[in-house]
Amino acid sequence: MERMLLEQEKESFFRKSGRLASYHKNLFFGLAYFHANLEGRKKYGTLGWHVPYKFDFSDFEVSNAQLTQVMKHNSGDLLAALDMLKYFYANINYAGKLQRVEDQVTVNAILADLFNEKVSFAAELPADHDASHYGFPADNADFLGFLDRSVPVRDPYQVFGFNWNVESSLLKK
């Protein structure tokens, strides 16, 4: 029953975007992967971030509210909307906590992987750990089932842009 209610809520959430529902879904998943990636990098210490940052759920909530507003009021220039959202996320919402230029470059690189034409306009995408994601579900997919099948219990180091040496160092600790 709870799963069915969540699916109905998901349908109404994206339906508000009208003809842009598929685009909205992909951007929402991109935002979720982005936030999770920023959080997940913490476990790598100074290799993940030069300074330990406290990204929290409110950063995600504000970003999602902006995404929802852009989807509701978009007149059709989707690439401009994509650029605007990337600017908000990288330079306002999350950047307020960043203290190092190197970390800002990392945030921009992760956003470039997750917010681009290929990802945003695809109907469904398989996982691509080198592009920081576990895949994007089809529009009519069971999202919770998709996440259960796609997202592993332990994130692979490639999702964060690292190589085996970094993972090996983490495992030794």
Side-chain angles (χ1 to χ4, degrees):
M1 179 69 172
E2 185 176 316
R3 189 177 195 90
M4 190 169 70
L5 290 173
L6 286 171
E7 281 299 311
Q8 288 173 345
E9 192 173 308
K10 175 223 26 158
E11 288 301 320
S12 68
F13 178 72
F14 293 120
R15 195 176 312 123
K16 291 176 187 173
S17 301
R19 63 181 178 77
L20 301 176
S22 176
Y23 185 69
H24 187 179
K25 178 228 12 148
N26 284 1
L27 292 179
F28 177 81
F29 264 79
L31 177 59
Y33 288 138
F34 173 68
H35 184 78
N37 194 299
L38 298 184
E39 282 289 309
R41 292 179 69 86
K42 289 179 183 178
K43 74 179 178 185
Y44 292 96
T46 56
L47 293 172
W49 297 113
H50 288 88
V51 176
Y53 299 114
K54 295 191 188 277
F55 301 113
D56 54 34
F57 190 65
S58 66
D59 299 322
F60 176 82
E61 288 178 314
V62 166
S63 299
N64 187 40
Q66 290 168 332
L67 170 61
T68 302
Q69 286 302 309
V70 167
M71 290 295 99
K72 270 189 208 174
H73 302 292
N74 192 302
S75 61
D77 190 358
L78 300 177
L79 294 178
L82 188 63
D83 288 341
M84 180 176 62
L85 288 168
K86 286 193 311 192
Y87 180 83
F88 285 160
Y89 301 161
N91 298 304
I92 299 171
N93 301 358
Y94 288 90
K97 297 177 180 180
L98 299 176
Q99 298 174 10
R100 302 279 307 257
V101 172
E102 299 89 346
D103 293 335
Q104 182 65 53
V105 169
T106 300
V107 166
N108 289 336
I110 296 167
L111 275 172
D113 283 344
L114 295 169
F115 288 83
N116 58 58
E117 288 181 61
K118 177 186 171 200
V119 169
S120 302
F121 295 114
E124 179 178 9
L125 277 174
D128 183 354
H129 295 171
D130 292 333
S132 308
H133 67 80
Y134 296 109
F136 289 73
D139 294 337
N140 56 357
D142 168 18
F143 283 13
L144 296 175
F146 171 82
L147 292 172
D148 287 342
R149 290 186 307 277
S150 301
V151 178
V153 174
R154 191 174 184 320
D155 295 315
Y157 56 89
Q158 300 97 322
V159 168
F160 303 108
F162 296 126
N163 63 26
W164 169 246
N165 293 331
V166 173
E167 184 71 7
S168 174
S169 169
L170 179 68
L171 290 173
K172 284 179 186 174
K173 288 182 183 178

